[in-house]
Amino acid sequence: MSSLRTLVFYATPAHDCSYLPDREATTMFVDPRAHIDRKLYSQLTALGFRRSGSHYYRPHCEACNACIPVRLNVNEFRPDRNQRRVLKKNSDIECTLVPASFSEHYYRLYANYVEIRHKDGDMYPPSREQFISFLVEGSTDSWFLEMRKNGALVGLAAVDVLDDGLSAIYTVFDPALESRSLGTFAVLWQIEETKKREQPHLYLGYWIKECQKMNYKTRFKPMEALHDGQWRTLETE
């Protein structure tokens, strides 16, 4: 059984940063041969690690610390006017948690989302193998949040269960329904689910101040950021 004391870590060679132009990035990975149970995964997450399939990683850039791990204290969260509007707009969406798995239905939604919204990203072009390796493989206590309207699948969010809350991994939705803000809705649902489980935190991955695509994370307050091994309230103003 692996533990924090016995884990071995590896760093990748420098490569082009996926988020900031003209910068290089280095990523630290947990040895893929390690057995990661939910307790260890929760400890790694509290230290700023994320999961992508069977890989557990965190940025390890020598000259840059722009990627900041963030989480939300759900018990102190109060939705703002826009978030309340999103909840009202999506009151007809049926949400169900199901074990993470592959289905052609899920994949078609994922592929359509990537092809329309992320042609400039690392996930383009999408493939079934990519979907499985990113969202299905390596799951410890991993689930898909199905979002359905009149029975039709319109959104899918990958969610991991931790000892102290939930971890929001990734969300896709039908681009034709962009006006519904289903990405925001998925986070709001996960906040309420975390509260129901009587757990304190929803982990939202990394926030980069200079990356406009990540600005939505700071709309969930009070957001906490990991600095020098300590979680502190994130000041964004």
Side-chain angles (χ1 to χ4, degrees):
M1 184 70 65
S2 299
S3 68
L4 282 178
R5 295 181 62 184
T6 62
L7 284 180
V8 177
F9 300 90
Y10 297 96
T12 66
H15 53 275
D16 290 340
C17 179
S18 301
Y19 300 105
L20 300 176
D22 304 320
R23 295 201 196 182
E24 288 191 331
T26 301
T27 306
M28 177 188 294
F29 282 95
V30 174
D31 185 345
R33 296 169 296 183
H35 173 69
I36 310 295
D37 61 9
R38 194 172 98 172
K39 178 181 178 180
L40 183 53
Y41 179 24
S42 300
Q43 293 172 332
L44 286 167
T45 302
L47 292 173
F49 281 79
R50 294 287 286 172
R51 182 181 72 84
S52 176
S54 58
H55 300 289
Y56 299 82
Y57 70 94
R58 67 168 297 169
H60 189 64
C61 306
E62 183 175 345
C64 178
N65 57 1
C67 294
I68 301 174
V70 291
R71 71 184 185 187
L72 182 69
N73 186 327
V74 298
N75 294 313
E76 295 183 11
F77 171 77
R78 300 293 181 272
D80 62 21
R81 180 181 301 177
N82 180 66
Q83 290 161 345
R84 292 195 297 272
R85 191 178 301 124
V86 170
L87 288 170
K88 183 177 180 180
K89 186 183 297 185
N90 292 292
S91 60
D92 59 344
I93 299 295
E94 180 182 356
C95 294
T96 308
L97 273 182
V98 298
S101 64
F102 176 84
S103 80
E104 192 65 23
H105 206 37
Y106 293 158
Y107 173 70
R108 287 198 297 269
L109 181 70
Y110 169 86
N112 187 43
Y113 177 84
V114 172
E115 288 170 353
I116 292 179
R117 291 179 61 96
H118 290 291
K119 280 190 175 182
D120 59 342
D122 294 340
M123 294 180 297
Y124 184 84
S127 69
R128 289 167 180 80
E129 294 74 20
Q130 175 198 70
F131 176 92
I132 292 170
S133 65
F134 176 30
L135 297 177
V136 179
E137 287 183 352
S139 58
T140 300
D141 194 348
S142 303
W143 301 78
F144 284 164
L145 168 62
E146 292 183 347
M147 292 171 273
R148 295 182 179 273
K149 183 178 184 298
N150 299 326
L153 184 69
V154 297
L156 190 72
V159 186
D160 284 352
V161 177
L162 304 172
D163 287 346
D164 65 336
L166 300 179
S167 178
I169 301 299
Y170 198 67
T171 301
V172 300
F173 53 83
D174 183 350
L177 300 178
E178 184 173 2
S179 63
R180 280 182 170 263
S181 302
L182 288 173
T184 295
F185 176 69
V187 175
L188 292 169
W189 189 94
Q190 290 172 75
I191 291 171
E192 290 306 309
E193 179 66 16
T194 306
K195 289 181 180 180
K196 289 178 182 177
R197 293 168 181 259
E198 298 183 348
Q199 296 172 315
H201 301 125
L202 174 62
Y203 290 85
L204 292 173
Y206 301 113
W207 173 70
I208 300 175
K209 185 176 183 180
E210 296 88 347
C211 183
Q212 187 174 0
K213 292 180 180 179
M214 294 188 179
N215 284 347
Y216 77 93
K217 297 184 181 184
T218 61
R219 299 177 193 139
F220 297 91
K221 302 178 184 297
M223 189 68 71
E224 296 177 346
L226 184 63
H227 288 289
D228 299 324
Q230 298 292 325
W231 288 95
R232 302 185 180 94
T233 300
L234 177 65
E235 303 293 341
T236 60
E237 302 301 332

